[in-house]
């Protein structure tokens, strides 16, 4: 088995066809193959590794150099994507070998976090990943937004094609990554694909001249559906302004769908709003994202409660050893010495606590660690529950 890094142009005949076979309708049309050339520039900064055997590509995996907010700190994050194997080479350990080397390289280059959308969550849990909340889909009729048409709201909305409004939208997502736990954004070479495709409308809510909310969307047909992407808001008035804009489509579309974070509650937006909210997770086809720590450097200096616990990290290639976690100063410090309750954690268990998705007792129940009552109490103080919102889809 030979693992090597691809040059940019090689993707057209190696990793792209493998990924397309794994995740798209096939055989590919000639038009889709031609589209690979248009897609190539948005991968130029990715790190793509392949397994070669007998001169043929057997498997591929890529890492996108991204940034993610972990409890208030923005850190480099490796977004793993395009993990695919030739149908005649599956279940031979190629993906395991690729992931080990890919994550080794990304960690060595300074990426203490990594996230992905799994083909099977159980496979990646063995690599130390833990599940994150999936974005919800909210579906409702624009007619139910009618009360907002009579509301006097502070601020204003602007409406334009995303190709024109991209700079402002990108700036707003840059603000979100600084302010929102779990939020991740693409590097510029990948993000500009949204601008270049120019296949979305952009509506932006501004209050006192500052952008406080944004939504990209498309309409499939008259009398059909207004298909919104992620509803990004940092203020309730901004949300109301965007919903008020959507209410004006009552005579144009039958329904509206929006993607919302797990902590958003559309059923409380308005009285008498009939809304269907769901998070669909299936295998294959609709996975929830996963993430993990690749380095303990990600923890140093994080906001933390006044807990103190000694953790032994086991069973992982990248996180190991015994460490004292101390939040007495309000920021997490990794120190040595001094008595403290102890716990044993896998990489997935520690990642679950750091990302705020599991309680220490749930980590214990899931078999991601061994945590007694005293250690659990300290870990709750160190890592309060905090739902992340990944945003980026890759």
């Amino acid at each position: 088995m030979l693992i090597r890094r691809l040059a940019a142009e090689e993707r057209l005949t190696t990793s792209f066809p493998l990924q397309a076979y794994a995740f798209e309708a096939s055989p590919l049309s000639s038009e889709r193959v031609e589209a690979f050339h248009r897609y190539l520039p948005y991968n130029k900064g990715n790190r793509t590794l392949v397994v070669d055997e007998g001169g043929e590509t057997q498997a591929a995996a890529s890492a996108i150099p991204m940034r993610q907010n972990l409890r208030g700190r923005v850190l480099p994050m490796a977004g793993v994507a395009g993990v695919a194997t030739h149908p005649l080479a599956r279940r031979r350990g190629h993906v395991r070998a690729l992931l080990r080397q890919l994550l080794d390289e990304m960690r060595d280059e300074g990426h203490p976090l990594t996230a992905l959308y799994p083909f099977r969550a159980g496979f990646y849990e063995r690599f130390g990943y833990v599940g994150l909340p999936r974005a919800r889909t909210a579906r409702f009729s624009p007619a139910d937004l009618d009360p907002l048409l009579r509301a006097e709201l502070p601020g204003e909305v602007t409406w334009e094609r995303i190709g024109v409004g991209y700079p402002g939208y990108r700036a707003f997502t840059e603000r979100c990554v600084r302010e929102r736990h779990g939020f991740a954004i693409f590097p510029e070479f990948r993000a500009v694909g949204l601008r270049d495709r120019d296949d979305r409308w952009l509506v932006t809510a501004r209050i006192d001249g500052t952008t406080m909310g944004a939504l990209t969307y498309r309409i499939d047909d008259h009398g059909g559906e207004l298909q919104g992407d992620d509803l990004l808001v940092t203020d309730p008035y901004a949300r109301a302004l965007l919903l008020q804009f959507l209410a004006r489509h009552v005579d144009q579309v039958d329904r509206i769908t929006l993607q919302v974070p797990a902590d958003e509650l559309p059923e409380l937006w308005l009285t008498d709003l009939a809304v269907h909210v769901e998070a669909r997770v299936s295998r294959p086809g609709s996975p929830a994202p996963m993430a993990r720590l690749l380095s303990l450097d990600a923890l140093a200096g994080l906001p933390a409660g006044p807990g103190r616990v000694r953790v032994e990290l086991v069973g992982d290639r990248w996180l190991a050893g015994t460490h004292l976690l101390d939040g007495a100063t309000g920021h997490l410090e990794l120190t040595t010495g001094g008595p403290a309750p102890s716990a044993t954690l896998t990489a997935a268990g520690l990642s679950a606590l750091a990302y705020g998705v599991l309680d220490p007792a749930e980590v214990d129940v899931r078999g991601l660690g061994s945590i007694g009552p005293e250690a659990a109490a300290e870990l709750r103080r160190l890592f309060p529950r905090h739902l992340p919102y990944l945003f980026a889809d890759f």
Side-chain angles (χ1 to χ4, degrees), residues 9-10 35 43 63 77 84 92 105 149 155 170 188 193 196 208 221 226 267 272 288 341 344 354 358 370-371:
E9 293 292 333
E10 288 184 279
N43 291 260
M77 185 270 278
R92 290 169 50 191
E105 294 181 10
L149 292 174
R170 175 66 173 180
E188 185 66 11
D196 297 345
D208 294 330
D221 203 354
L226 186 152
E267 63 271 27
D272 292 331
T344 301
L358 295 181
S370 178
I371 306 174

Side-chain angles (χ1 to χ4, degrees), residues 164-181:
V164 174
Y166 172 79
Y169 181 77
R170 175 66 173 180
F172 185 56
T173 61
E174 290 276 1
R175 175 184 167 189
C176 290
V177 80
R178 294 191 299 270
E179 298 179 356
R180 181 132 197 181
H181 171 55

Side-chain angles (χ1 to χ4, degrees), residues 66-317:
M66 301 173 64
R67 286 173 290 142
Q68 185 179 32
N69 183 311
L70 182 67
R71 293 185 179 268
R73 289 183 64 207
V74 180
L75 298 168
M77 185 270 278
V80 175
V83 180
T85 308
H86 190 288
L88 296 179
R90 292 174 179 174
R91 299 188 179 273
R92 290 169 50 191
H94 292 328
V95 168
R96 288 179 177 84
L98 277 177
L99 278 176
R100 290 190 188 102
Q101 181 159 329
L102 185 65
L103 294 180
D104 277 348
E105 294 181 10
M106 296 305 288
R107 183 181 188 272
D108 290 346
E109 289 191 0
H111 294 79
L113 305 176
T114 174
L116 51 77
Y117 288 81
F119 65 85
R120 187 170 71 251
F123 175 87
Y124 286 102
E125 186 178 83
R126 293 192 290 273
F127 273 88
Y129 287 87
V130 68
L132 304 184
R134 182 166 179 78
R136 273 56 177 157
T137 299
R139 184 174 291 105
F140 51 90
S141 167
D144 284 352
L145 301 178
D146 181 70
L148 286 172
L149 292 174
R150 298 182 294 277
E152 294 290 335
L153 300 172
E156 60 182 4
V157 297
T158 57
W159 175 69
E160 56 199 335
R161 291 281 288 264
I162 186 62
V164 174
Y166 172 79
Y169 181 77
R170 175 66 173 180
F172 185 56
T173 61
E174 290 276 1
R175 175 184 167 189
C176 290
V177 80
R178 294 191 299 270
E179 298 179 356
R180 181 132 197 181
H181 171 55
F183 203 91
I185 58 174
F186 289 124
E188 185 66 11
F189 70 79
R190 172 71 174 262
V192 292
L194 180 64
R195 176 200 65 195
D196 297 345
R197 290 189 301 274
D198 198 21
D199 61 354
R200 294 288 193 273
W201 293 105
L202 169 65
V203 56
T204 303
R206 293 187 177 89
I207 299 173
D208 294 330
T210 301
T211 298
M212 306 293 281
L215 174 70
T216 58
Y217 71 93
R218 64 181 298 274
I219 296 173
D220 64 359
D221 203 354
H222 182 75
E225 184 172 271
L226 186 152
Q227 300 167 347
D229 300 310
D230 291 71
L231 180 67
L232 299 179
V233 294
T234 60
D235 179 272
Y237 284 116
R239 184 203 301 118
L241 283 166
L242 294 178
L243 293 176
Q244 186 183 66
F245 171 83
L246 297 177
R248 300 188 181 110
H249 294 75
V250 64
D251 296 320
Q252 183 178 354
V253 299
D254 177 65
R255 59 197 174 277
I256 294 170
T257 62
L258 303 175
Q259 302 300 307
V260 297
D263 59 358
E264 185 68 82
L265 302 175
E267 63 271 27
L268 302 183
W269 286 347
L270 288 169
T271 304
D272 292 331
L273 174 63
V275 58
H276 178 86
V277 183
E278 70 172 357
R280 182 175 179 270
V281 176
S282 63
R283 179 175 63 85
S286 183
M290 304 183 80
R292 64 156 289 166
L293 309 181
L294 272 180
S295 169
L296 290 176
D297 292 343
L299 297 181
L302 286 184
R308 182 180 170 88
V309 63
R310 189 181 307 281
V311 297
E312 180 186 3
L313 302 175
V314 298
D316 188 64
R317 182 183 182 90

